[in-house]
Amino acid sequence: MSVVYNCDHSKCTVKVTAVLLLFVFLAFATLPGPVVAHSPSGIILGYDSERETLTVSLSHDVADPNTHYVYRVEIRKNGAVYHEQEYTLQPTDSTFNYDYDLAVEAGDVIEVTAYCNVGGSITGRIEISGSSGTDQTAVTSSVILPYHAGIMILGFIFILTGALVARFIKRKTWWFKVHKIVQIFGSILSLVGVSLGFYMVSVTTGQHFMVPHAYVASATIILILANLALGLQLKKGGGVRVAHRWVGRAVLILLLVNVAIGLSLVGIL
């Protein structure tokens, strides 16, 4: 932030914009690769006609199989739900198998969907031909996650920048305008990021409060909205300014904690 003290308004605006754009580029350029591991990445179906057993082999790379795991497996036979099984952990941190009793006939189509407890899913399809399965396909639904993670990190960066401006650059006459713009933009990014996370879970597991990450996110959004409301009342001074300051600090702490929780869930931290 020392650079900001030694530049005029126009130069500062250019430098701040350049730095923020760099953050945007780095977030979206580096996050998608590792974050895609959030959802199960592979599924292979096999059928044993003698045992009448369907074997589901799943690949789901996680840091801790006790907190980040495939929590539900749904089996459909010819389009109708045949069996559902829920789990509280997964056997390994990478690849594992589940066996299910299943009577089929030639021509039956079996679809298996595995849901991650954090969000995301993968679906495998197998058509029974004679005594074995053929024509396998797999579809994964994890494309939203990189954008959710990137936008949440950017929201934290913008809100942190606004807080640093308010704390260290009050000598400048324009500090409040910059603080307000950056904070509003950071709040909007955070709201959009949480909304993407909500949508991602809605279209996959439908279970929104299975991990602490969701609870902390909900509390963070409530405080962000409260702080925006307090910011609109700053002219009243006194207690409003004190409340705005402390709520803003709480928002930063919760955002940092939740970003760390989210990154740990996908194995980055």
Side-chain angles (χ1 to χ4, degrees):
M1 304 303 294
S2 59
V3 176
V4 178
Y5 279 99
N6 300 316
C7 62
D8 60 30
H9 179 73
S10 59
K11 290 182 179 179
C12 286
T13 301
V14 172
K15 290 184 178 181
V16 170
T17 302
V19 170
L20 294 179
L21 287 175
L22 178 61
F23 278 130
V24 172
F25 173 78
L26 290 176
F28 285 96
T30 60
L31 278 174
V35 170
V36 168
H38 190 296
S39 299
S41 58
I43 183 170
I44 299 175
L45 308 181
Y47 185 72
D48 186 332
S49 61
E50 293 184 1
R51 297 169 52 218
E52 293 190 333
T53 301
L54 175 70
T55 298
V56 180
S57 178
L58 292 167
S59 297
H60 189 214
D61 296 325
V62 299
D64 184 354
N66 294 297
T67 59
H68 185 187
Y69 52 89
V70 171
Y71 97 97
R72 187 175 74 184
V73 173
E74 178 185 272
I75 302 173
R76 290 179 174 268
K77 178 180 176 181
N78 298 324
V81 176
Y82 179 87
H83 179 72
E84 290 181 313
Q85 183 72 47
E86 293 194 358
Y87 302 92
T88 56
L89 51 80
Q90 66 183 45
T92 72
D93 60 4
S94 55
T95 301
F96 51 94
N97 297 336
Y98 288 133
D99 291 334
Y100 304 95
D101 294 332
L102 178 64
V104 299
E105 298 177 355
D108 285 345
V109 176
I110 308 301
E111 290 183 343
V112 179
T113 302
Y115 297 93
C116 170
N117 69 316
V118 181
S121 66
I122 189 170
T123 298
R125 176 183 180 277
I126 186 172
E127 183 175 345
I128 304 301
S129 175
S131 60
S132 62
T134 60
D135 186 29
Q136 290 211 41
T137 58
V139 178
T140 183
S141 59
S142 60
V143 295
I144 298 175
L145 179 66
Y147 300 98
H148 162 69
I151 290 173
M152 289 304 300
I153 291 174
L154 287 176
F156 170 74
I157 291 172
F158 273 84
I159 290 177
L160 175 62
T161 301
L164 292 176
V165 168
R167 178 66 178 84
F168 297 107
I169 313 182
K170 285 189 175 180
R171 300 182 197 177
K172 302 295 182 177
T173 57
W174 46 264
W175 77 268
F176 182 73
K177 182 177 181 180
V178 172
H179 168 76
K180 181 172 66 174
I181 292 174
V182 173
Q183 289 290 81
I184 290 175
F185 193 38
S187 298
I188 292 173
L189 284 172
S190 299
L191 292 171
V192 170
V194 170
S195 298
L196 283 176
F198 180 87
Y199 174 75
M200 178 180 67
V201 175
S202 295
V203 298
T204 54
T205 68
Q207 305 293 320
H208 293 282
F209 293 97
M210 295 190 65
V211 290
H213 186 59
Y215 290 97
V216 177
S218 299
T220 303
I221 291 305
I222 291 173
L223 288 182
I224 286 175
L225 293 174
N227 214 34
L228 287 174
L230 288 169
L232 296 174
Q233 305 296 319
L234 284 179
K235 291 183 179 180
K236 295 182 178 180
V240 173
R241 291 188 178 182
V242 173
H244 178 67
R245 188 179 304 121
W246 282 102
V247 172
R249 292 169 181 170
V251 166
L252 275 173
I253 292 172
L254 288 180
L255 276 174
L256 180 60
V257 168
N258 217 32
V259 167
I261 293 175
L263 293 178
S264 67
L265 283 173
V266 298
I268 295 178
L269 291 183

